[in-house]
Amino acid sequence: MLKVLIITKKHLYITLGIIAALIVGILMLVILTKSSETFSENYKYAYKKITAEEAKILISKNKDLTILDIRSEKEFLNGHIPRAALIPYNIVKKQYVHLDKNKKYLVYCKTGKKSKKIAKTLSNNGFPRVYVLIGGIEKWNYDLVK
């Protein structure tokens, strides 16, 4: 009644063949997917979308935060977030390379559409700490500087 497992030469060859095929497959996968680029070269930073309430807290807790108002000069003079620096959209999209990658940035515009584009550009070019105000200054329910 007790069955004894008997390994024949045939079973041994089949098992060794399967193991060899697995090893060859794994080696081919490693060789074909290997790249000369490192992980950090492929990595893109992400920006974070934040509400006006979150932006207010971020501003109050980060004295080193750089706030970029990318609207026109006329819009800026009609009212802007305290501590904001005016760098119009057309300038910042071309001149972002002059910004310090080690700083934190909060970017806003009128509605949030252009600031989202700038935040994406910054983050894709190695700026690790970029925040964008959801809805732009239209959603800012706090005091403005004129």
Side-chain angles (χ1 to χ4, degrees):
M1 303 255 183
L2 182 64
K3 292 186 177 183
V4 177
L5 180 63
I6 301 174
I7 299 177
T8 63
K9 282 186 179 181
K10 180 180 176 183
H11 290 121
L12 183 62
Y13 291 139
I14 292 173
T15 304
L16 290 174
I18 292 171
I19 292 171
L22 285 172
I23 291 172
V24 169
I26 292 170
L27 287 174
M28 287 184 64
L29 182 65
V30 169
I31 290 169
L32 293 176
T33 60
K34 194 168 187 171
S35 173
S36 61
E37 296 178 342
T38 63
F39 175 74
S40 62
E41 290 172 322
N42 290 326
Y43 182 75
K44 297 290 184 192
Y45 294 103
Y47 62 91
K48 183 173 182 179
K49 296 183 256 181
I50 59 174
T51 64
E53 294 78 20
E54 293 170 320
K56 180 78 170 164
I57 294 167
L58 181 70
I59 292 167
S60 68
K61 291 186 175 184
N62 293 277
K63 299 300 177 197
D64 61 334
L65 177 71
T66 301
I67 306 166
L68 300 177
D69 185 328
I70 62 167
R71 300 175 300 151
S72 70
E73 183 177 3
K74 183 180 178 183
E75 291 172 311
F76 181 81
L77 293 174
N78 284 330
H80 58 272
I81 295 174
R83 296 184 15 220
L86 173 64
I87 305 180
Y89 176 78
N90 291 334
I91 294 173
V92 75
K93 76 178 182 179
K94 297 174 187 172
Q95 303 285 329
Y96 70 87
V97 294
H98 299 295
L99 298 174
D100 185 352
K101 289 184 180 183
N102 296 315
K103 290 188 175 187
K104 289 182 192 176
Y105 293 94
L106 170 62
V107 183
Y108 74 92
C109 62
K110 183 178 179 183
T111 62
K113 292 179 182 176
K114 288 183 178 180
S115 56
K116 186 177 173 184
K117 289 179 184 178
I118 294 299
K120 185 176 181 178
T121 297
L122 292 175
S123 62
N124 284 342
N125 285 283
F127 289 78
R129 296 176 304 220
V130 179
Y131 301 89
V132 62
L133 180 60
I134 298 170
I137 201 162
E138 289 183 348
K139 298 295 181 182
W140 185 259
N141 298 321
Y142 305 100
D143 291 335
L144 296 174
V145 176
K146 290 189 177 189

